[in-house]
Amino acid sequence: MTRNEYMHDEDAMKAYWKEWENLENKKVWRWSTLCEWDDVAAQARAKDEEIHFGYLFGFMVIKGDEFPVGDIRRRYKYRIVFQGNNVKDQNWEVALFQQMSCQPAMLDAARAAECYSCFPGHDIGGRDVEQAYIADLKGPPTYVQLPKELWTPEMHKMKFPVVRLEKALYGHKNSGVYWNEYCRDKCEQVGFEPMAENWSSVFWHPKKKILLVIYVDDLLMTGPKDELPAMWTKLESFLKLAKPPETSTCLLYTSPSPRDLSTS
């Protein structure tokens, strides 16, 4: 959606402010670090230290736009990202990043999950992780400029106000790696093990016989029906999961909801 479209839509604006408020509540940036970019850049140069500056921008989409108006799977979603292709250093030159990479689950993993869900007594379900990539930001200190809708009166008097970014966001060159490391660590804490070396972001719980597929911020879980609710609860202890939808949807898979499957 264009800015003009969502700025005049009440429901879209609720999604807009919800995203900004969630980021602020999670302390993605620190208001106490508010300063002029020129000042913090000069200090970094004087100390021969590296710092980064980047821009934030957001975009509005209608998630589940393929569904009819009124369907609970159709909703506005606003996402704020870090503009990773335009990051500057303290000298206002192109910032360099350590080469890091990770690979999300592939389509074959979703197919395997679907097949496994057809076993007697099994079920399958999907959940979204809200703001999944928000993890501690590593590397050089990074500063960003917030949109003017969030500016305080003090900021309007400044030349180039910036705040320090404390958490990684979508778009940061290494945010996927940070999220993958965090998610793998937490999954292993509740008993999951990596499925195979060449099946990235796919986990197996040997005791509960549960298969978990992670694609960016979508989780797909399948296994013995009686074991799944408790495992979702364990995952919720360290991941902020969206409420179970009527239909489980992710980029890899769309299935009837667990409730629908149980009554079919």
Side-chain angles (χ1 to χ4, degrees):
M1 297 179 67
T2 66
R3 183 176 177 85
N4 285 337
E5 288 175 332
Y6 70 74
M7 287 293 286
H8 297 89
D9 188 296
E10 182 178 351
D11 290 335
M13 289 307 296
K14 288 180 180 179
Y16 175 87
W17 287 114
K18 178 184 177 181
E19 176 75 358
W20 282 113
E21 289 170 1
N22 284 342
L23 293 183
E24 186 170 357
N25 290 337
K26 290 185 176 182
K27 303 186 186 304
V28 173
W29 62 85
R30 282 191 294 155
W31 285 108
S32 61
T33 62
L34 175 64
C35 61
E36 289 280 8
W37 167 253
D38 287 346
D39 294 339
V40 72
Q43 292 173 9
R45 291 193 297 269
K47 298 179 181 179
D48 196 25
E49 295 177 347
E50 181 181 4
I51 63 172
H52 290 171
F53 169 80
Y55 296 94
L56 302 184
F57 71 93
F59 57 91
M60 183 75 69
V61 299
I62 301 178
K63 192 168 185 179
D65 190 40
E66 67 273 21
F67 300 113
V69 176
D71 192 300
I72 63 171
R73 294 166 293 183
R74 190 180 192 275
R75 59 188 176 88
Y76 290 105
K77 183 175 181 62
Y78 190 71
R79 175 158 289 168
I80 297 161
V81 301
F82 182 82
Q83 191 175 348
N85 66 334
N86 188 21
V87 184
K88 306 296 184 181
D89 65 10
Q90 67 279 1
N91 299 313
W92 207 250
E93 296 177 350
V94 176
L96 301 178
F97 290 84
Q98 180 182 355
Q99 187 66 34
M100 304 172 72
S101 65
C102 65
Q103 182 179 353
M106 305 302 288
L107 184 59
D108 285 348
R111 289 171 175 165
E114 182 178 6
C115 179
Y116 189 52
S117 72
C118 295
F119 283 31
H122 282 202
D123 202 348
I124 189 170
R127 301 279 293 275
D128 287 345
V129 183
E130 297 184 357
Q131 298 175 321
Y133 276 29
I134 298 178
D136 289 340
L137 186 60
K138 305 172 185 178
T142 301
Y143 292 81
V144 295
Q145 187 173 69
L146 300 174
K148 290 191 175 182
E149 295 96 307
L150 301 181
W151 282 22
T152 63
E154 179 185 1
M155 296 170 75
H156 283 282
K157 299 176 183 178
M158 299 172 69
K159 178 182 177 182
F160 201 99
V162 295
V163 291
R164 181 165 174 174
L165 192 68
E166 299 290 340
K167 307 284 186 180
L169 290 173
Y170 292 93
H172 190 281
K173 290 186 181 294
N174 295 329
S175 60
V177 177
Y178 299 154
W179 161 246
N180 188 66
E181 291 175 349
Y182 173 82
C183 200
R184 176 171 178 160
D185 176 65
K186 296 302 181 182
C187 286
E188 290 178 348
Q189 286 183 25
V190 296
F192 282 101
E193 299 176 356
M195 187 71 178
E197 185 176 345
N198 60 340
W199 270 40
S200 179
S201 301
V202 182
F203 299 90
W204 172 250
H205 200 296
K207 183 177 180 180
K208 302 296 184 180
K209 309 303 180 185
I210 294 174
L211 181 66
L212 177 65
V213 180
I214 303 176
Y215 184 81
V216 188
D217 59 357
D218 289 319
L219 304 186
L220 185 65
M221 188 190 297
T222 179
K225 183 177 179 179
D226 294 340
E227 299 287 355
L228 296 184
M231 188 56 64
W232 281 122
T233 300
K234 287 184 178 181
L235 293 178
E236 284 180 314
S237 67
F238 59 84
L239 297 175
K240 185 179 180 182
L241 301 180
K243 294 180 180 179
E246 291 294 323
T247 294
S248 303
T249 61
C250 71
L251 292 177
L252 293 177
Y253 180 78
T254 299
S255 74
S257 68
R259 181 173 62 189
D260 293 337
L261 286 170
S262 65
T263 57
S264 61

